[in-house]
Amino acid sequence: MEIRLLRYFWAVAEEGNFSRAARVLNITQPTLSRQIKELEELLNTQLFERGQREVSLTQDGLLLKERAEEILTLDTKLEETFSNRGAKLTGRLTIGCVEADNSDTLAMMLEELLADHPLVTFEILTGTGDEITDKLEKGLIDLALLLEPVHVKNVESLVLPREESWGFLVSKTDFVAQKEQITPADISGMPVLISKRSEVQKLLADWGAYRL
């Protein structure tokens, strides 16, 4: 499958309209329609539900859009790698980041990087730990700021200086809110909304506040 066809497909999926996608791609609408038809024949499936003005993705179309994002991201990174060889340090860093105290540590590190290498650009993607980890393992992002416990294979890790703290969000009227520290006994039997990550569930179980 040609990367060109995936780019055409992606444009239509993003715009939801063949005419708008054709303008984005700077090609004619009949040409774009033929290319999408060729892609559907190649995959032997229908990718779009055609309306009078708008189009929407079928289930197979949604699956292809997810895979196309990965392929197109890797293709762009490959092109940038070779186009920047022999030049000053340039390029684009894609960073996955969960919400954490060390987010401002990351910001300061980026500030120092840009001071030394002003041609470098970056993009920050936010998401859950599982989402960021999945993108990191697939090579879709270059760096990730994650909260331990984390189990990622074949990557270099660096522990940032600020220690993260876990906590519970409770009503101001709850007796637990008046305590400086919470013990497992304080929340024993209390219904708690927690992360679906197995690592986090085990962390709470080891602390004694959650039964797996």
Side-chain angles (χ1 to χ4, degrees):
M1 181 188 302
E2 297 182 31
I3 292 294
R4 171 179 53 83
L5 291 178
L6 283 182
R7 294 194 184 281
Y8 289 172
F9 163 77
W10 181 266
V12 178
E14 285 289 283
E15 297 296 328
N17 177 279
F18 276 86
S19 297
R20 291 195 297 267
R23 287 195 294 269
V24 169
L25 295 167
N26 198 28
I27 61 177
T28 65
Q29 181 178 337
T31 297
L32 178 58
S33 297
R34 285 196 301 271
Q35 295 297 312
I36 295 300
K37 187 64 176 177
E38 178 183 332
L39 179 60
E40 290 179 322
E41 291 175 353
L42 178 64
L43 298 176
N44 194 30
T45 189
Q46 182 179 344
L47 300 173
F48 294 100
E49 295 285 355
R50 275 84 165 170
Q52 289 186 346
R53 294 187 177 181
E54 304 294 315
V55 296
S56 59
L57 290 167
T58 62
Q59 287 298 315
D60 285 342
L62 290 170
L63 176 61
L64 180 61
K65 189 172 187 287
E66 180 181 340
R67 296 294 182 263
E69 180 181 13
E70 299 173 3
I71 295 170
L72 293 175
T73 298
L74 292 174
D75 181 68
T76 300
K77 288 182 177 294
L78 182 61
E79 290 179 358
E80 290 177 349
T81 297
F82 280 90
S83 64
N84 294 329
R85 292 178 66 186
K88 293 182 179 180
L89 184 59
T90 61
R92 185 178 185 84
L93 285 173
T94 305
I95 304 168
C97 183
V98 297
E99 295 183 5
D101 284 345
N102 271 296
S103 295
D104 61 345
T105 304
L106 173 64
M108 289 186 288
M109 295 171 69
L110 288 173
E111 184 179 10
E112 293 183 7
L113 173 66
L114 294 178
D116 294 333
H117 308 286
L119 297 180
V120 172
T121 60
F122 64 89
E123 176 185 14
I124 295 179
L125 306 176
T126 59
T128 66
D130 286 341
E131 291 169 344
I132 298 300
T133 299
D134 181 63
K135 290 182 181 296
L136 182 64
E137 290 181 331
K138 291 179 177 178
L140 301 177
I141 58 177
D142 304 297
L143 301 171
L145 176 62
L146 297 166
L147 293 175
E148 292 184 324
V150 177
H151 302 291
V152 185
K153 299 178 181 178
N154 303 319
V155 298
E156 294 290 337
S157 62
L158 172 69
V159 178
L160 295 179
R162 182 176 298 177
E163 183 176 353
E164 301 284 346
S165 299
W166 290 90
F168 287 91
L169 292 177
V170 298
S171 170
K172 289 182 179 180
T173 60
D174 197 293
F175 81 95
V176 175
Q178 313 307 316
K179 300 174 67 77
E180 293 185 1
Q181 290 185 323
I182 298 176
T183 66
D186 292 327
I187 61 172
S188 176
M190 182 184 298
V192 178
L193 292 175
I194 65 172
S195 168
K196 67 179 181 180
R197 291 177 57 205
S198 59
E199 296 90 349
V200 175
Q201 294 178 4
K202 185 177 186 304
L203 185 70
L204 287 173
D206 291 342
W207 182 57
Y210 179 75
R211 181 172 298 175
L212 292 175

